[in-house]
Amino acid sequence: QKTSICYLSFPDSYSGGLGDTQFSFRLRQAGGPRSSPFQDDGRYNREAPLTLQREAAHYFGYVYFRQVKDSSMRRGYFQKSLVLVSRLPYVNLFQCLLQLIAPEYFDKLEPCLEAVCNEIDQWPAPVPGQTLNLPVMGVVIQVRIPSRVDKPGSSPVKQCNQENLLPAPLVLPSVHELDLFRCFQPVLIHIQMLWELMLLGEPMVVMAPSPTVSSEMVLALTSCLAPLRYCCDFRPYFTIHDSEFKEYTTRTQAPPNIVVGVTNPFFIKTLQHWPHILRVGELRMSGDLPKQVKVKKLAKLKTLDTKPGIYTSYKTFLHKDKTLIKRLLKGIQRKRPSEVQSALLRRHLLELTQSFIIPL
């Protein structure tokens, strides 16, 4: 398990990118479910939304990776990752925490981590519905843990208990919600199709240029069924060193029901028998609707010269939603903030899911 975490904590393909990168992964726990070190008796899971429950058989890993030129190192580079492992899918909270800790840690090493761990040990338990103040390194992070009774699609409750906090807290609007609009930029016109594929639990590979893009896209896809929980397996970032590698690349049986994010070009060859492949480029925010990927036949997946696109022969039941695209386009022209665009998108997906649930 430690070895897997090590492999998952570094970009898998050759990345010439210097500087800091953040991404996340999900890891199957070795050796069956164990008793949790948290004396929680399941209360958290009873009160938390389905999509934010603590997982018994998987860990989430949140990574902060730094690569900078350094002539004193044998390889000519300083390359280090700080990884936070948790059973909770709080991607925003933990990535924000790492932004505070990691740069200090690379500078001051172990003593810094020890101090941080002492502070985190004092944090209150996550109680759904409560707003928590979490002090770390001279900053107070303020977050509200979502609860099962929150109305779907409502905005988080305004924070109020700030008057006695000095310094002013760093308020996170959400512990887990991604910038959906940014993640889905290249595939906005295919959002209905992707929602259908997620609902059906179809096997899908996301091929991306970096672990950041791959993990964000996989997390965005699996979150688009909310308030339903995505019940199949998903790996926001997956490498060839993973113990499940053989299971996923074998051609003797159908691919498992899983959404897997990869960056190594080697996967283009080994996973070309999968029924749905989403190939994305770097995510960029631009002034008009970013270039939309096309839907292409799987046969077009030629090794190594693959252009961004959705490679599938799936026939959708739903039509493209032109009004949604128009609203988002108008938003881009009017420089509407990304949070607002994401909220529109999230509401649209929520309506899709609810209209699916109603007859059931």
Side-chain angles (χ1 to χ4, degrees), residues 300-317:
K300 291 251 168 65
L301 190 72
K302 284 205 255 335
T303 318
L304 297 176
D305 62 331
T306 318
K307 296 188 170 55
I310 298 178
Y311 294 82
T312 178
S313 41
Y314 180 73
K315 295 274 175 286
T316 57
F317 289 89

Side-chain angles (χ1 to χ4, degrees), residues 3 12 21 34 61 76 82 91 107 122 129 148 177 187 197-198 206 208 221 265 272 287 295 347:
T3 317
D12 176 27
T21 316
R34 303 208 182 95
L82 182 63
V91 58
D107 222 23
Q122 308 300 313
R148 192 169 280 201
E177 283 182 351
V187 293
L197 291 173
M198 291 300 107
V206 173
L221 286 167
Q272 58 187 0
V295 175
R347 191 162 78 223

Side-chain angles (χ1 to χ4, degrees), residues 25 28 54 110 122 124 167 169 176 214 235 249 263 266 268 279 286 291 294 312 324 348:
F25 60 81
R28 191 185 291 175
R54 219 182 243 132
E110 260 61 57
Q122 308 300 313
H176 67 291
S214 106
R235 299 298 159 91
T249 50
T263 59
F266 177 70
I268 297 177
R279 181 86 198 260
S286 56
K291 198 163 177 251
K294 294 190 170 67
T312 178
L324 174 75
H348 173 77

Side-chain angles (χ1 to χ4, degrees), residues 54-115:
R54 219 182 243 132
E55 297 212 13
H58 290 87
Y59 291 115
F60 289 93
Y62 303 95
V63 182
Y64 192 108
F65 167 67
R66 173 170 290 181
Q67 172 166 301
V68 282
K69 281 201 159 86
D70 180 349
S71 49
S72 69
M73 300 278 187
R74 203 178 75 215
R75 301 174 66 168
Y77 286 99
F78 170 92
Q79 291 166 312
K80 212 176 187 104
S81 280
L82 182 63
V83 190
L84 189 152
V85 177
S86 170
R87 292 198 184 276
L88 294 166
Y90 293 170
V91 58
N92 285 355
L93 172 60
F94 293 137
Q95 292 292 19
C96 165
L97 183 60
L98 284 172
Q99 283 163 21
L100 296 170
I101 305 169
E104 282 288 298
Y105 163 66
F106 295 144
D107 222 23
K108 307 194 171 109
L109 303 177
E110 260 61 57
C112 157
L113 274 194
E114 224 167 285

Side-chain angles (χ1 to χ4, degrees), residues 124-286:
V127 177
Q130 281 192 11
T131 296
L132 306 180
N133 295 312
L134 311 172
V136 65
M137 298 182 71
V139 180
V140 175
I141 304 176
Q142 189 172 75
V143 288
R144 179 181 180 277
I145 307 296
S147 150
R148 192 169 280 201
V149 296
D150 295 351
K151 209 169 124 259
S154 63
S155 61
V157 182
K158 288 279 167 283
Q159 321 280 356
C160 50
N161 53 350
Q162 293 182 5
E163 60 282 346
N164 51 3
L165 289 177
L166 282 165
L170 175 62
V171 180
L172 292 190
S174 159
V175 283
H176 67 291
E177 283 182 351
L178 296 156
D179 183 340
L180 269 197
F181 179 65
R182 196 182 46 126
C183 299
F184 281 148
Q185 274 180 84
V187 293
L188 285 170
I189 60 172
H190 310 299
I191 205 82
Q192 271 74 12
M193 174 202 253
L194 293 168
W195 177 86
E196 279 186 39
L197 291 173
M198 291 300 107
L199 191 70
L200 297 171
E202 286 282 319
M204 184 189 248
V205 188
V206 173
M207 294 182 174
S210 69
T212 311
V213 178
S214 106
S215 59
E216 288 197 338
M217 183 62 94
V218 171
L219 291 174
L221 286 167
T222 53
S223 73
C224 73
L225 298 179
L228 292 181
R229 174 165 158 206
Y230 179 76
C231 288
C232 300
D233 201 353
F234 60 98
R235 299 298 159 91
Y237 173 52
F238 185 78
T239 74
I240 52 180
H241 306 288
D242 210 285
S243 53
E244 274 101 36
F245 178 72
K246 277 204 173 64
E247 188 186 316
Y248 295 168
T249 50
T250 173
R251 287 167 184 246
T252 52
Q253 63 207 56
N257 300 83
I258 181 174
V259 183
V260 59
V262 299
T263 59
N264 193 325
F266 177 70
F267 281 108
I268 297 177
K269 204 152 110 203
T270 51
L271 297 178
Q272 58 187 0
H273 60 293
W274 278 45
H276 318 285
I277 296 171
L278 169 56
R279 181 86 198 260
V280 279
E282 276 299 343
L283 296 185
R284 287 186 298 275
M285 274 306 213
S286 56

Side-chain angles (χ1 to χ4, degrees), residues 335-347:
K335 303 218 175 347
R336 193 188 284 147
S338 194
E339 305 85 69
V340 184
Q341 297 275 72
S342 287
L344 281 173
L345 205 48
R346 199 170 274 114
R347 191 162 78 223

